[in-house]
Amino acid sequence: MSITSQKKAVETKVLASFSYEPVTLDKGYAGRTLRVDLSHNEIRIDPVTEKMKELWVGGKGFDLWLMFKEIQPLKDEISWKHPGNPICFGPGPLAGSVEFPGAGKTIVTSISPVTETIIDSNVGGYFGPYLKFAGFDALTVVGKASQEVMIYIDAPKRQVSILEANIEAKDSHLIAEEIPEIFADNELDKRNIAVVSAGQASEHSKMGILNFSFWDWRRSLPRLKQAGRGGIGTVFRNKNLRAIFTRNEQIMPSWTIEKSKVVDEFEEKVKSNEGCCKNTVDEINAIIEKWDTNPEYVIEMMQDVQERFRHVSPIAIDTIAAKTKRPKAELYHIATFYSSLTIDKKGETTIQVCMGTACHVKGAARILDTFERILDVKAGGTTNDKKYTLEAVACIGACSIAPVIKIGEKVYGNVMSKDCQKLLKKEEANKKEVTNG
Ligand code: FES
């Protein structure tokens, strides 16, 4: 049997496959774990009892419980290459939220031959939540494959497979790119795939890290999170595993935040603004319609609102929530999570002072002080006349000309405190020119 990718003409041989029934998560628990034995091409489900849930709370609890069950054969020999050395993956009981890149933590465990103890690493990426939403509280991988393989958990098809690893990529960041390319149905579907892979270095190093990647659909590239403790990547590679990946359907969280103190405060703000801005609401509605009122695109809607109004106002959140039926608290969470979105109105022009390492050592703090003094506003604030917002930011990406600042879209390098006033004057002059021109 083989799987032929719909997107790329790649045929992947299936070495073992296992179908399973769907489950509905109960208070965040699927009530079962998945075990894959690579030596025997065996895939099975083990039940999770109420007693286990009481005793082994959370991702680490489940990992330890699974590790202890597998540890017996390792009594007399512990090595990086021992096929019996298990690797366990345990998302927390609710597996974080899949709404925010990197927010879904997974605990991954194995045994270190160096310390002869269980090593654990806590890592982001979507693998944990996706494993949970595929219907498993944790995953154990044991054994060693006789050829290079991948484990594929296909949640929409309710199928777990061991596949021949016919991917070209060796390095984990390339594997993270190639797998969504092969297995996603289309560009948007790439975000439903989360990949775990060890880099090339793990083949040669005893302390290889393990990478958890997810597809950042806004930037159209994979982003990597690393489980860096004591050689988990090396144990993974020694199983002849190139990757483990899950694919899900469009996931909406199985729980929502309906109420919070912050939302109550925010309701007050909405009330105080009611009736004042019909045109504004019309424009916001037009933005929502541009995205087909699809709740999947609330972030894109908020980005458009931010661009148009220089903030995502309480009225905007209220309107988007009413139209898309997404809870206000969740939208508020998104609007305060991404630094490119702001609840309070930004100034016409944003001044960013880079505080990254290169700029820091070249006196960025003095430049920030100077702007704070000239504008009479602290970093993060907006001047009373709403002309400028001052921000202290991490590396702008122009370290060779540190210290660096950005005024609007213009980047200035080798800036000294004495230049700040001049640069502001220049900005004012430019604005005047645009207005008059
Ligand atoms: S550290 Fe400032 S631009 Fe890189």
Side-chain angles (χ1 to χ4, degrees):
M1 194 173 48
S2 62
I3 297 175
T4 307
S5 140
Q6 305 195 14
K7 197 155 174 258
K8 256 183 152 189
V10 175
E11 204 169 283
T12 313
K13 196 166 162 205
V14 179
L15 304 171
S17 135
F18 176 86
S19 299
Y20 63 91
E21 293 299 315
V23 283
T24 308
L25 297 186
D26 177 16
K27 297 196 182 96
Y29 286 102
R32 61 191 188 184
T33 63
L34 184 65
R35 183 179 186 276
V36 179
D37 180 343
L38 296 172
S39 296
H40 303 98
N41 276 345
E42 253 174 35
I43 304 166
R44 74 160 196 245
I45 282 177
D46 290 324
V48 172
T49 63
E50 283 307 313
K51 190 84 196 147
M52 290 167 190
K53 284 194 236 168
E54 269 169 41
L55 289 173
W56 303 93
V57 179
K60 188 159 180 183
F62 270 73
D63 268 21
L64 291 177
W65 166 53
L66 293 176
M67 291 291 299
F68 290 146
K69 287 207 297 193
E70 304 288 347
I71 256 166
Q72 213 55 17
L74 290 176
K75 265 190 174 155
D76 40 25
E77 185 207 347
I78 297 175
S79 75
W80 298 106
K81 294 194 173 163
H82 196 300
N85 194 349
I87 294 190
C88 295
F89 300 84
L94 286 174
S97 160
V98 296
E99 290 297 290
F100 309 111
K105 291 281 181 187
T106 309
I107 308 281
V108 51
T109 47
S110 196
I111 299 169
S112 164
V114 177
T115 58
E116 298 195 358
T117 54
I118 293 177
I119 38 173
D120 67 279
S121 207
N122 176 340
V123 68
Y126 285 171
F127 187 75
Y130 280 18
L131 178 66
K132 179 72 87 174
F133 293 124
F136 303 104
D137 289 325
L139 162 69
T140 312
V141 182
V142 292
K144 179 176 178 135
S146 54
Q147 62 184 104
E148 294 234 296
V149 296
M150 306 186 286
I151 298 170
Y152 179 20
I153 303 165
D154 186 346
K157 294 205 175 126
R158 322 259 181 243
Q159 200 138 47
V160 183
S161 317
I162 302 173
L163 308 175
E164 195 179 66
N166 64 343
I167 49 171
E168 288 162 17
K170 283 258 185 250
D171 267 331
S172 53
H173 70 280
L174 295 176
I175 295 173
E177 206 168 310
E178 192 172 344
I179 285 177
E181 202 60 53
I182 297 173
F183 290 91
D185 284 348
N186 51 49
E187 205 52 30
L188 204 60
D189 192 35
K190 285 182 180 177
R191 70 159 117 169
N192 298 319
I193 293 180
V195 182
V196 183
S197 56
Q200 229 173 339
S202 305
E203 281 178 71
H204 314 290
S205 135
K206 291 204 182 317
M207 304 301 276
I209 51 170
L210 196 57
N211 284 308
F212 287 64
S213 60
F214 59 94
W215 192 261
D216 186 333
W217 66 94
R218 268 180 292 279
R219 298 182 195 167
S220 269
L221 46 81
R223 284 173 62 192
L224 260 53
K225 304 273 166 178
Q226 299 185 321
R229 288 282 294 281
I232 285 181
T234 302
V235 178
F236 188 93
R237 284 294 298 138
N238 277 320
K239 294 189 172 309
N240 264 341
L241 250 182
R242 292 292 294 285
I244 303 178
F245 57 104
T246 60
R247 177 169 165 253
N248 266 281
E249 286 166 300
Q250 296 277 309
I251 290 176
M252 296 293 272
S254 59
W255 69 99
T256 50
I257 322 156
E258 293 293 347
K259 271 277 168 210
S260 77
K261 267 192 207 157
V262 194
V263 168
D264 292 343
E265 254 174 52
F266 156 88
E267 294 284 6
E268 288 305 311
K269 284 194 191 173
V270 174
K271 275 191 205 129
S272 64
N273 277 315
E274 260 169 18
C276 72
C277 38
K278 167 141 182 8
N279 289 349
T280 306
V281 174
D282 285 349
E283 279 195 60
I284 295 167
N285 276 329
I287 289 171
I288 297 169
E289 273 155 34
K290 178 183 140 194
W291 293 100
D292 288 338
T293 319
N294 185 339
E296 279 288 310
Y297 293 112
V298 289
I299 296 177
E300 285 78 359
M301 293 173 198
M302 285 196 251
Q303 281 170 333
D304 283 357
V305 169
Q306 175 81 39
E307 200 176 304
R308 168 66 188 85
F309 298 102
R310 306 207 304 269
H311 71 321
V312 183
S313 65
I315 289 284
I317 291 188
D318 209 44
T319 313
I320 297 172
K323 284 278 165 88
T324 61
K325 308 269 181 294
R326 293 283 288 265
K328 267 181 249 179
E330 208 177 295
L331 298 187
Y332 187 85
H333 193 161
I334 294 172
T336 50
F337 178 83
Y338 290 105
S339 56
S340 58
L341 303 175
T342 54
I343 294 288
D344 294 317
K345 193 160 186 162
K346 275 193 165 191
E348 283 161 38
T349 307
T350 301
I351 299 175
Q352 296 184 324
V353 180
C354 178
M355 304 301 281
T357 315
C359 294
H360 172 75
V361 295
K362 294 250 185 135
R366 278 197 302 278
I367 296 169
L368 186 64
D369 277 354
T370 311
F371 275 117
E372 285 185 336
R373 194 170 30 77
I374 299 174
L375 298 171
D376 193 21
V377 72
K378 286 274 165 214
T382 299
T383 54
N384 285 339
D385 58 5
K386 301 278 179 222
K387 274 191 173 174
Y388 294 103
T389 294
L390 180 64
E391 287 176 353
V393 298
C395 181
I396 287 177
C399 314
S400 58
I401 50 167
V404 179
I405 67 159
K406 232 176 134 185
I407 301 185
E409 288 310 307
K410 285 187 213 80
V411 177
Y412 297 95
N414 301 315
V415 177
M416 292 195 275
S417 303
K418 64 178 172 59
D419 302 330
C420 299
Q421 190 71 273
K422 266 189 264 167
L423 291 172
L424 276 179
K425 281 202 179 129
K426 191 172 166 194
E427 176 64 21
E428 289 295 325
N430 287 346
K431 271 193 204 156
K432 233 181 235 157
E433 212 170 281
V434 172
T435 320
N436 297 337

